[in-house]
Amino acid sequence: MRFKKLASLAIAGAMVASLLTGCGGSKDSGSGANESTTAATSDTGSSSDAATSDVSHGDTYTVDFYNVAANFQGVQPGWYGKIIKDKFNMEMNIIAPQVSGDGGALYQTRCAAGNLGDLILLDNADMQECIESGLVRDLTDVIKKYPNLWKFQEQIEKFNGMMGDGSKIYAIPLEMNTNGPTAYNQLHVYTYPRMGWDMYTEAGQPELKNLDDLLDCLKKIQDAHPQNDKGDNAYAISLWKDWDSTYMECVAQLTKWYGQEVNGSVLIGTDNSITPLTDKNGAYYKMLKFFYQANQMGLVDPDSATQDWNTVVTKMQDKRVYLYWYSWQYGFWNSPARGEEGTNYIEIPVADTKLYQPSDTYYGNGRVLGVGSQVSDEQLDRLMEFLDWYASPEGVQIQHSGTEGLIYDVVDGKNKLTEDGINRFSAEVAVPEELGGGNWNDGNNMINQWIVASCEINPNTGEAYNSDLWSSTIEMNKTKTTNEWSEKFGAANDVEYLQKNNMMTVVPSINMALDIDTTDVSLAREQCGNAIKDASWRMIFAADDADFDAQWDAMVSELEGLGWKDVTEFDTNKYQPMLEARKAAQ
């Protein structure tokens, strides 16, 4: 058993032509499943197809959940923990390699012991390896009994058809939907420059032709607001390193602004190109230099190299960070009241960007969920019952929005956020003791991945599970900020603006297991990844341009001695079939 960092994530590409056949339209979103603690029949199924309801809940089952997506380790706390305990008499003991201190050692130790976990959430290639090693239970004769899971039969069978001999089902893809493999049903693109509308306006609403203009605008903002209203130091850019894998994650996400996505050691472009991450004409170098130039202008938080994501969240909630780039960061500040004040963050177009935007993850997002092979039959029944609920309308609604009555109300058959629901990410929302007590965020779902994506349609409301896409939320968010933005840029939202101006390419999502690293490639990848991360962080804080370029050249030279050529050749061959499939689909 060998450890690999992110050997396979969701790739912007397309399924082979056979996978796309018949996938153009939406399916019926309704499963009709009973949302009690037992599985039930679907609208299209019969009682003979449904799981039995004789699962015993007498003893508390502490589920060891090995989870590469989790940012929390320990037993699920708070309101979500209470829901699981009340419904299933379960406690979720989350084992999170990325916060354990040494994820590689943890993975190898548990694999060597033959028990990775009761539930196992892994990247695709790691799951394939664990299946081959006998660490994952065969679900072929079990999963069909659970209608909320089997609603995604097409996606589950197609993915597992690429695993093992292709005849068995071991893994459940995550973030699936039934909207079709080329759909992008969102109001916002995933990653793009975002600033407070009030501060952008105060800076003169300058036209941003390129990254230099973006930095100049951020400089004006920070010079005018070196501290927040509480007197705390504030910066245009605040970085964190606890999400880094074999590269610097904050840099990698921004490469999409210029038409490339980092995948392992290579950059995959919207033009179907594959180039090494170290290509000096590539977007990794470009965005790394962007952060370096920002630091030269005094715009990078000096805590960046030592702080973690949770610290950055606190700073965003206190308006100590002036540039966002993830769409979901809005939740840490934006609200309708702030929108009316004109202080909400919103996308600001940069004219030379050519965004790489993956479509919604119809086939899954590159991570999968399985059951450990050591799990008993009784435990399997309980785990499958939980997973079926996790994929049910009730379970999915709770995952993506929270609980009715506290976070949202149902008005005329549609969901509408409460005041606490509006503020749940940006402020302390107290949870009543009878619902679990504590702070809402502290009790949120720490599994941090879903079987069903938030863009899926809830059959009970006819709207997406994602509260941002509810008609009530869209109407509520029409504020001074959005109205003034729309008037200036001539579009309802950033997706419409970027599409109208040919500034984005939606790349069909694909989810498949890719070639697994050989032992030599795995070792070289880990060593090269450490060198890339270390050099990237040093380069952001380089003394001057000459120092920056010298460090880049030194990194490239070091990588050559660590087997970089072998890694990039391996990744080029690994991803080439994806690009061929994408070309066929486009």
Side-chain angles (χ1 to χ4, degrees):
M1 182 64 61
R2 57 189 181 276
F3 174 72
K4 301 173 297 309
K5 291 271 197 178
L6 297 182
S8 172
L9 283 179
I11 313 298
M15 298 298 279
V16 291
S18 63
L19 298 189
L20 289 171
T21 303
C23 299
S26 295
K27 294 182 180 177
D28 177 10
S29 296
S31 68
N34 185 315
E35 294 163 9
S36 69
T37 59
T38 57
T41 59
S42 70
D43 286 342
T44 56
S46 65
S47 59
S48 61
D49 297 324
T52 60
S53 59
D54 58 355
V55 177
S56 172
H57 304 99
D59 297 326
T60 299
Y61 181 10
T62 300
V63 179
D64 285 341
F65 195 155
Y66 186 90
N67 185 343
V68 300
N71 296 310
F72 166 89
Q73 185 153 276
V75 175
Q76 167 71 50
W79 64 269
Y80 196 75
K82 186 176 189 308
I83 288 174
I84 295 173
K85 186 69 163 61
D86 289 349
K87 279 185 169 289
F88 306 104
N89 198 13
M90 279 182 175
E91 294 179 339
M92 288 292 165
N93 178 38
I94 297 172
I95 301 163
Q98 70 177 2
V99 298
S100 66
D102 189 340
L106 177 67
Y107 179 78
Q108 290 189 25
T109 298
R110 297 187 69 88
C111 286
N115 184 358
L116 196 54
D118 297 339
L119 289 177
I120 304 168
L121 196 159
L122 295 170
D123 298 320
N124 285 350
D126 291 329
M127 180 61 77
Q128 179 172 325
E129 186 175 58
C130 288
I131 290 169
E132 293 170 356
S133 300
L135 293 173
V136 184
R137 183 155 180 157
D138 180 359
L139 303 178
T140 308
D141 296 327
V142 176
I143 193 168
K144 299 172 186 178
K145 302 175 184 177
Y146 294 89
N148 294 303
L149 295 172
W150 205 234
K151 167 185 174 180
F152 298 97
Q153 175 183 356
E154 178 193 356
Q155 293 95 320
I156 292 170
E157 288 187 333
K158 282 186 179 358
F159 177 81
N160 283 274
M162 297 178 280
M163 307 288 276
D165 64 7
S167 65
K168 297 183 182 298
I169 294 172
Y170 292 95
I172 302 169
L174 298 173
E175 300 276 7
M176 295 180 289
N177 71 80
T178 60
N179 299 329
T182 61
Y184 186 68
N185 297 332
Q186 309 291 335
L187 298 178
H188 305 288
V189 293
Y190 181 68
T191 178
Y192 205 69
R194 297 166 163 107
M195 289 183 270
W197 183 247
D198 57 331
M199 293 185 171
Y200 173 69
T201 299
E202 183 182 338
Q205 294 189 355
E207 179 185 358
L208 306 183
K209 299 184 182 68
N210 49 42
L211 294 178
D212 289 337
D213 288 346
L214 174 59
L215 288 175
D216 288 342
C217 182
L218 290 169
K219 175 69 170 165
K220 290 179 181 178
I221 289 172
Q222 185 175 309
D223 284 350
H225 302 276
Q227 297 177 324
N228 67 0
D229 292 341
K230 298 178 182 178
D232 301 316
N233 289 339
Y235 295 90
I237 295 169
S238 198
L239 307 172
W240 60 97
K241 62 168 54 176
D242 50 316
W243 290 6
D244 291 354
S245 53
T246 51
Y247 40 76
M248 186 174 167
E249 184 67 24
C250 289
V251 176
Q253 286 300 327
L254 271 59
T255 64
K256 296 184 179 75
W257 296 1
Y258 288 92
Q260 292 182 315
E261 181 180 66
V262 179
N263 287 275
S265 64
V266 297
L267 296 160
I268 295 180
T270 55
D271 60 355
N272 299 316
S273 61
I274 302 180
T275 57
L277 178 144
T278 49
D279 181 353
K280 208 165 185 177
N281 294 315
Y284 191 86
Y285 176 89
K286 182 180 183 73
M287 301 319 297
L288 186 60
K289 193 156 192 179
F290 168 73
F291 283 138
Y292 154 73
Q293 291 170 329
N295 186 62
Q296 289 289 298
M297 298 168 69
L299 301 178
V300 175
D301 184 348
D303 295 337
S304 290
T306 57
Q307 67 189 358
D308 63 12
W309 167 245
N310 291 325
T311 303
V312 177
V313 169
T314 300
K315 290 181 175 181
M316 287 188 291
Q317 290 171 334
D318 287 340
K319 202 161 190 180
R320 298 179 61 192
V321 181
Y322 297 143
L323 179 70
Y324 291 178
W325 52 80
Y326 293 116
S327 56
W328 43 262
Q329 284 176 289
Y330 284 151
F332 299 118
W333 178 263
N334 284 12
S335 70
R338 286 171 171 162
E340 286 299 336
E341 294 169 356
T343 63
N344 271 356
Y345 284 71
I346 197 164
E347 292 82 357
I348 306 299
V350 177
D352 71 341
T353 52
K354 298 292 184 182
L355 188 68
Y356 181 116
Q357 176 57 62
S359 68
D360 295 330
T361 52
Y362 177 82
Y363 286 105
N365 70 349
R367 284 176 171 156
V368 286
L369 186 59
V371 176
S373 57
Q374 84 295 337
V375 164
S376 69
D377 289 345
E378 180 182 354
Q379 290 172 326
L380 177 64
D381 288 342
R382 295 186 70 175
L383 292 173
M384 294 303 295
E385 177 189 53
F386 166 75
L387 293 177
D388 192 64
W389 172 82
Y390 201 58
S392 74
E394 180 187 76
V396 178
Q397 188 66 77
I398 290 171
Q399 295 156 41
H400 290 304
S401 297
T403 52
E404 183 180 350
L406 177 63
I407 301 302
Y408 70 93
D409 293 321
V410 179
V411 180
D412 296 328
K414 306 292 184 183
N415 293 339
K416 183 176 181 180
L417 290 172
T418 64
E419 192 67 23
D420 281 338
I422 293 168
N423 297 322
R424 67 193 186 277
F425 295 117
S426 59
E428 298 283 320
V429 171
V431 177
E433 286 301 320
E434 63 269 21
L435 297 180
N439 174 265
W440 191 86
N441 273 310
D442 293 340
N444 203 0
N445 182 359
M446 300 299 176
I447 297 171
N448 203 34
Q449 287 275 269
W450 342 109
I451 293 172
V452 182
S454 64
C455 63
E456 176 72 357
I457 301 301
N458 181 344
N460 297 324
T461 65
E463 296 184 338
Y465 290 103
N466 183 352
S467 62
D468 289 343
L469 300 178
W470 297 348
S471 57
S472 58
T473 306
I474 293 171
E475 185 61 32
M476 176 181 63
N477 284 331
K478 291 180 180 178
T479 63
K480 170 184 169 65
T481 298
T482 57
N483 291 338
E484 291 182 359
W485 185 94
S486 293
E487 183 178 353
K488 177 174 175 61
F489 293 109
N493 52 58
D494 58 289
V495 172
E496 181 180 314
Y497 178 88
L498 294 172
Q499 288 177 331
K500 279 174 50 176
N501 290 279
N502 298 316
M503 293 169 64
M504 68 179 283
T505 299
V506 176
V507 181
S509 271
I510 182 168
N511 183 34
M512 63 184 296
L514 304 175
D515 289 344
I516 301 173
D517 287 358
T518 65
T519 301
D520 289 343
V521 168
S522 178
L523 177 61
R525 187 185 302 281
E526 186 169 3
Q527 292 176 331
C528 290
N530 289 334
I532 291 168
K533 288 183 292 187
D534 291 346
S536 295
W537 279 99
R538 288 197 309 270
M539 289 168 65
I540 288 173
F541 299 99
D544 51 34
D545 289 1
D547 184 29
F548 179 90
D549 283 324
Q551 290 197 54
W552 176 271
D553 293 341
M555 178 190 75
V556 172
S557 179
E558 179 184 4
L559 291 174
E560 290 173 355
L562 295 174
W564 181 246
K565 182 179 179 182
D566 293 337
V567 177
T568 57
E569 286 183 354
F570 180 88
D571 285 348
T572 298
N573 292 329
K574 176 168 71 173
Y575 294 118
Q576 192 61 48
M578 298 284 194
L579 296 188
E580 294 305 318
R582 184 202 296 178
K583 292 174 187 176
Q586 292 172 332

